[in-house]
Amino acid sequence: MKKIFIGLLVTIFLATISFYFLNKQSDTAKQENVLSYIEQQGVTIIDKFDTPSELTGYVGTYKDEAMSIYVTPDKRHAVIGDLIDTEGKNLGADAINQLITKPKNEKLWQQLEEMDWVQDGDKNAPRIVYTFSDPFCPYCHKFRDMAEPFIAEGQVQFRHIIVGILQKNSLAVAATIMGSDSPEQAFQQHRQSVRQGGIAVDNAKASKGNDAVMANNQLLEEMHTHATPTSIYRDKDGEIHVVEGMPVQQELGRIFEE
């Protein structure tokens, strides 16, 4: 979906810029730098980067979506989108990762540390996995089951960011878990009985835990995803990864460092 969005945005911008230069040649003295025009369309320019070509690369964002922009030496023309070399390497990918993705993920990690989450596994386990979990998300439970050997051996700890978004009673059950005297025990009780409907809603506990779940829901929405599980972890090199949905086998290997 994101690729489609960026592709559509690129088409719109290229068409707009082409129209601009075909019909506004007399205004070049007023608008000598194409970046100024691009910024007027709502794009935020983050920084520039070098490329092997004569074009100068820029990283920008439009409505929180990252993009690469390539400007000609005279600064009057620009191409928005991917620029590849003869080997198919995207010349803007590293710049986007360094200038946008990494800082964004580091900020997210700090936010996650401060959220109300449910500890699952040894708190001293070296691999921390934050995972957004809905009480009735089958893939969340499947992901947790696949992690069981690694959690049991003390290699991995899950920190469940409990949300309530999938079913009508997801919010009430999630709030009941978070409002319990021991959210950890309540979560495990629900996990073991989810096929029978899970734990019963307790209005008093749900009232106590509602704010925490709503904050978790809000953070998931701010990440522009509604997929559960959505998981965040640091690899052995310290790089933070965000995985939307049920991880594929290759990603599972990286998460658990098999």
Side-chain angles (χ1 to χ4, degrees), residues 135-149:
F136 298 103
C137 166
Y139 293 106
C140 298
H141 294 295
K142 181 178 180 181
F143 182 37
R144 173 57 180 82
D145 290 343
M146 296 180 75
E148 176 60 31

Side-chain angles (χ1 to χ4, degrees), residues 97-170:
N97 185 48
Q98 292 295 328
L99 294 172
I100 296 181
T101 305
K102 277 190 174 182
K104 183 178 180 180
N105 286 348
E106 287 290 346
K107 180 180 178 181
L108 173 61
W109 191 268
Q110 293 176 4
Q111 288 179 286
L112 293 169
E113 289 182 324
E114 298 173 358
M115 300 298 288
D116 289 318
W117 36 264
V118 175
Q119 180 70 36
D120 186 2
D122 186 349
K123 64 180 180 180
N124 295 315
R127 173 55 51 86
I128 298 172
V129 180
Y130 289 99
T131 183
F132 286 85
S133 305
D134 184 286
F136 298 103
C137 166
Y139 293 106
C140 298
H141 294 295
K142 181 178 180 181
F143 182 37
R144 173 57 180 82
D145 290 343
M146 296 180 75
E148 176 60 31
F150 305 95
I151 292 177
E153 293 175 7
Q155 299 177 19
V156 174
Q157 57 172 298
F158 270 21
R159 295 178 176 180
H160 297 276
I161 311 293
I162 305 296
V163 297
I165 59 174
L166 291 184
Q167 294 187 10
K168 185 176 181 181
N169 62 335
S170 285

Side-chain angles (χ1 to χ4, degrees), residues 16-55:
T16 304
I17 291 171
S18 298
F19 179 83
Y20 176 81
F21 282 107
L22 287 171
N23 294 278
K24 295 288 185 178
Q25 294 294 331
S26 61
D27 294 337
T28 54
K30 298 179 181 179
Q31 193 78 55
E32 293 184 353
N33 191 333
V34 69
L35 283 178
S36 298
Y37 175 74
I38 292 173
E39 287 178 311
Q40 290 172 12
Q41 311 313 306
V43 175
T44 300
I45 304 299
I46 305 300
D47 205 347
K48 68 178 180 179
F49 62 94
D50 295 328
T51 74
S53 71
E54 295 181 354
L55 303 176

Side-chain angles (χ1 to χ4, degrees), residues 68-116:
S68 49
I69 304 165
Y70 299 93
V71 178
T72 56
D74 63 7
K75 297 184 179 181
R76 293 186 177 183
H77 302 82
V79 176
I80 302 173
D82 294 341
L83 181 66
I84 62 173
D85 61 17
T86 56
E87 297 178 351
K89 180 182 178 181
N90 183 347
L91 301 181
D94 288 343
I96 287 176
N97 185 48
Q98 292 295 328
L99 294 172
I100 296 181
T101 305
K102 277 190 174 182
K104 183 178 180 180
N105 286 348
E106 287 290 346
K107 180 180 178 181
L108 173 61
W109 191 268
Q110 293 176 4
Q111 288 179 286
L112 293 169
E113 289 182 324
E114 298 173 358
M115 300 298 288
D116 289 318

